[in-house]
Amino acid sequence: VDIPVLASGGASTWEHAVEYLLAGASAVQVGTATFVNPRAAVEMVDGLERYCAEEGVSEVSELIGAMETG
């Protein structure tokens, strides 16, 4: 099946977002985390940008499915 995977539930840090993206998600939903930290989504985006810069990744989309095995 070739459909987009959307990660929903449990993402509260940029590390979680990276894990979801590497596993194949093309979008990550941030919901409940914003009740605890209203800036959670902004902090996740900032963390993703830093992670990509440190890893030499030019676009977040390059992470999608990068850990899939054949």
Side-chain angles (χ1 to χ4, degrees):
V1 177
D2 187 21
I3 58 171
V5 174
L6 308 177
S8 176
S12 59
T13 67
W14 67 266
E15 292 95 340
H16 293 153
V18 168
E19 290 171 354
Y20 280 135
L21 293 166
L22 291 174
S26 48
V28 178
Q29 176 184 341
V30 182
T32 305
T34 62
F35 292 136
V36 176
N37 176 8
R39 293 190 39 82
V42 173
E43 291 172 4
M44 290 172 76
V45 170
D46 292 343
L48 278 168
E49 288 176 344
R50 282 192 311 276
Y51 175 83
C52 287
E54 290 170 5
E55 296 298 320
V57 175
S58 60
E59 294 187 28
V60 172
S61 62
E62 293 176 34
L63 298 176
I64 299 170
M67 292 302 290
E68 292 180 5
T69 58

